[in-house]
Amino acid sequence: MPFTGIREDIRMARQNDPAARSSAEVFLAYSGVHAVWGYRVAHRLWLWRWFLAARVYSQLVRSLTGVEIHPGATIGRRLFIDHGMGVVIGETAVVGDDVVLYHGVTLGGTSSVQERRHPTIGDRVSVGAGASVLGPVTIGHDSIIGANAVVVRDAPPNSVLTGIPARVRPRAASPVAETFTDPAIYI
């Protein structure tokens, strides 16, 4: 991974976690960041068609970080996994740029057939703790998924998704709403 990618990941963590006191702390102690870096190595092995090596390496990373990212998933730049324990990202999932996932998030499949069976998450999406996005659904850019929501339907850009099953509604257009980017407030 180029050093610019590492710097971007550290900067993303510092922007999204007020508890991050320094870049050194993020580099050394943030398991979600380590999981993303481990995914990038496993994904490269997957692209080289070294499937067994990729899976074994990803499972090693999972045992160290508590975050399971299938090496076949497609993940954009600057993914930040905050308090990563229990996060699962499936094989055919697609995650855009500048996405934030909190602990316990599942981007899971609903089919055992070898096809696209995991979600597509747009850019700048925030997914709250314990949320599950299931099946080949698409979540539009700049959306927020509330904590513990269960998403089984597509959502257009600038949506808020809450509940079980999740209801989709537009994000408020007021400037005050822009300050509420923490998905925990949408429980």
Side-chain angles (χ1 to χ4, degrees):
M1 168 184 271
F3 289 116
T4 55
I6 292 172
R7 280 192 218 109
E8 284 181 345
D9 291 337
I10 291 171
R11 190 171 27 256
M12 183 70 167
R14 296 210 51 206
Q15 287 173 355
N16 286 283
D17 186 359
R21 290 171 185 77
S22 70
S23 296
E25 179 183 17
V26 172
F27 182 82
L28 294 171
Y30 273 56
S31 62
V33 173
H34 298 155
V36 171
W37 293 343
Y39 154 80
R40 301 229 187 266
V41 172
H43 185 64
R44 175 111 355 122
L45 294 170
W46 189 263
L47 294 176
W48 290 341
R49 303 186 63 77
W50 295 358
F51 301 123
L52 180 60
R55 289 302 304 268
V56 169
Y57 184 77
S58 72
Q59 291 302 299
L60 173 66
V61 171
R62 174 184 174 245
S63 70
L64 295 172
T65 64
V67 175
E68 182 171 347
I69 306 173
H70 192 286
T74 303
I75 295 180
R77 296 171 64 179
R78 297 174 300 276
L79 169 64
F80 176 52
I81 301 172
D82 196 8
H83 304 289
M85 188 61 71
V87 169
V88 177
I89 301 175
E91 177 184 13
T92 62
V94 177
V95 178
D97 295 337
D98 303 307
V99 171
V100 177
L101 305 178
Y102 290 88
H103 64 279
V105 166
T106 299
L107 304 181
T110 56
S111 169
S112 58
V113 177
Q114 192 68 18
E115 62 187 8
R116 181 176 174 270
R117 59 192 186 282
H118 296 93
T120 298
I121 307 294
D123 297 341
R124 297 170 305 281
V125 172
S126 185
V127 184
S132 295
V133 186
L134 304 173
V137 300
T138 300
I139 306 302
H141 303 310
D142 301 301
S143 293
I144 296 176
I145 299 173
N148 295 311
V150 177
V151 180
V152 292
R153 291 192 327 245
D154 292 349
N158 295 301
S159 295
V160 173
L161 296 93
T162 58
I164 303 172
R167 284 186 29 235
V168 179
R169 55 195 162 107
R171 284 179 74 173
S174 75
V176 174
E178 291 305 312
T179 64
F180 297 121
T181 57
D182 184 354
I185 67 165
Y186 296 105
I187 296 176

